[in-house]
Amino acid sequence: MLPISVLDLSFVTSGSTPSAALANTLDLSRHADALGYTRYWVAEHHNLPSIASSSPEIMIGQIAAVTKHIRVGSGGVMLPNHAPLMVAERFKTLEALFPDRIDLGLGRAPGTDPVTTYALRQRQEEPGRDDFMERLQELILWETREFPETHPFSRVEIMPSGVSLPPIWLLGSSDYSAHLSARLGMGFAFAHHFANHDATDAMLSYRNEFRPSRWRDKPHAILGVAAICAETEEEAERLASGADLNFLRRMRGEFGPLPSPEEALAYPYTPADREMIRRNRTRLFVGSPDMVRTRLQELAEVTKADELMITSAIHDHEARKRSYGLLAKAFGISALF
């Protein structure tokens, strides 16, 4: 049975508030836990009116506290925005509080626009430089304690002591993180839901190049996908219309709340708009449970994915919960629906 997981971006929907989006995340996490999903990851984005999730560490603690079995993690922490020591401290704290239930997913993008990126990093040295590899190496050294004896960091004790970092996953939408995570022997998660790079190339490159390490003895590749499911194809298409309009607006640099199907169906699309949406539908799986399961399983077989992680941009919270419930039943992980 193919494991399936949840990537929740804490969508802010039209007519609602970011606070309500965060409350919905907690509610959906309890639902996913009861349904038998494997993981529940939350993202780090800044200055995006459509996404309320800016502090994954805080949300991870809240989600883990209201669930029982599901693994909870970051999809991901944008490492260039943070001091590696702080990342290590925060995730060791989470691991101490919720042993064997936390995942540390790391990304190298800022998760925002250039001005906000500057605001996040302006007190750091050379804020415009790409120092992801240096930060990742430092984070690893905080865990392995392999700083040279003469290095000042060798005398710094991370608290809580005696707690290991959670499993590390490198996130990517190109082949960069695929090659890097394979070389380091870490887990890999590919963002098919917005990537332009071929998912099969990235996933197979990771698997073929993987080297066993202290982090992981065999490869594990998660494929992030966007899916919207309903009892009928017609209802799924109606729900997906909001995601279609949201995509179109993002391509124009408009990052407002996720629109409702009613807003989307009333929108005056041009032929060029409809062609953009049609092309994007190759990255969005819409339909009845059997339709979506079949298409996702086919993609998982081609990419040799070990796990699917599903994000669902659905305006109505109850309809989003229903979509995850139908998919859980279709994939055979739950008998609740």
Side-chain angles (χ1 to χ4, degrees), residues 10-13 15-27 52 317 320:
S10 300
F11 290 108
V12 181
T13 58
S16 189
T17 65
S19 296
L22 296 177
N24 286 342
T25 285
L26 295 182
D27 184 55
H317 179 59
R320 186 186 306 130

Side-chain angles (χ1 to χ4, degrees), residues 94-117:
L94 289 167
E95 182 67 21
L97 293 171
F98 307 100
D100 300 319
R101 288 189 58 208
I102 305 299
D103 293 323
L104 173 52
L106 298 172
R108 58 190 289 258
T112 188
D113 59 273
V115 173
T116 310
T117 298

Side-chain angles (χ1 to χ4, degrees), residues 196-267:
N196 291 319
H197 189 84
D198 180 60
T200 303
D201 174 72
M203 298 281 280
L204 296 185
S205 293
Y206 165 71
R207 186 170 301 281
N208 294 334
E209 298 171 18
F210 182 86
R211 303 174 186 174
S213 70
R214 63 176 291 151
W215 311 104
R216 184 174 292 279
D217 59 2
K218 60 182 180 179
H220 191 105
I222 298 175
L223 185 63
V225 295
I228 293 176
C229 185
E231 285 87 348
T232 66
E233 183 179 358
E234 292 74 21
E235 175 61 10
E237 287 290 338
R238 189 187 74 85
L239 295 175
S241 64
D244 289 336
L245 178 55
N246 190 53
F247 163 76
L248 184 65
R249 287 173 170 171
R250 288 202 321 268
M251 293 301 98
R252 294 172 174 167
E254 302 170 9
F255 296 96
L258 179 67
S260 68
E262 289 73 24
E263 293 172 81
L265 294 173
Y267 189 84

Side-chain angles (χ1 to χ4, degrees), residues 18-222:
S19 296
L22 296 177
N24 286 342
T25 285
L26 295 182
D27 184 55
L28 181 59
S29 70
R30 288 188 289 263
H31 186 58
D33 190 36
L35 289 170
Y37 279 84
T38 299
R39 301 174 210 278
Y40 198 101
W41 283 7
V42 290
E44 177 187 343
H45 289 284
H46 304 276
N47 192 33
L48 282 179
S50 58
I51 296 177
S53 178
S54 61
S55 303
E57 307 94 328
I58 294 175
M59 290 305 296
I60 289 168
Q62 295 295 311
I63 293 166
V66 299
T67 55
K68 296 179 180 180
H69 308 291
I70 199 167
R71 295 191 65 91
V72 189
S74 54
V77 165
M78 300 295 105
L79 187 56
N81 296 341
H82 308 278
L85 174 59
M86 291 296 290
V87 174
E89 288 178 334
R90 291 166 181 169
F91 276 82
K92 283 176 178 282
T93 298
L94 289 167
E95 182 67 21
L97 293 171
F98 307 100
D100 300 319
R101 288 189 58 208
I102 305 299
D103 293 323
L104 173 52
L106 298 172
R108 58 190 289 258
T112 188
D113 59 273
V115 173
T116 310
T117 298
Y118 180 80
L120 285 165
R121 305 179 188 177
Q122 64 174 322
R123 305 303 179 189
Q124 304 179 28
E125 295 182 7
E126 301 181 69
R129 187 167 64 88
D130 183 357
D131 59 357
F132 174 78
M133 274 303 304
E134 295 171 36
R135 290 172 185 259
L136 179 59
Q137 289 167 344
E138 183 181 321
L139 178 62
I140 290 171
L141 288 172
W142 283 120
E143 175 66 7
T144 62
R145 306 303 303 169
E146 293 175 348
F147 289 110
E149 290 185 10
T150 56
H151 196 290
F153 290 178
S154 67
R155 296 185 291 275
V156 176
E157 182 76 15
I158 295 182
M159 296 301 292
S161 59
V163 178
S164 298
L165 273 179
I168 297 177
W169 302 79
L170 299 188
L171 316 183
S173 57
S174 69
D175 60 347
Y176 177 89
S177 292
H179 297 305
L180 180 58
S181 53
R183 188 163 70 247
L184 296 177
M186 294 178 173
F188 174 56
F190 184 79
H192 174 274
H193 54 291
F194 67 81
N196 291 319
H197 189 84
D198 180 60
T200 303
D201 174 72
M203 298 281 280
L204 296 185
S205 293
Y206 165 71
R207 186 170 301 281
N208 294 334
E209 298 171 18
F210 182 86
R211 303 174 186 174
S213 70
R214 63 176 291 151
W215 311 104
R216 184 174 292 279
D217 59 2
K218 60 182 180 179
H220 191 105
I222 298 175

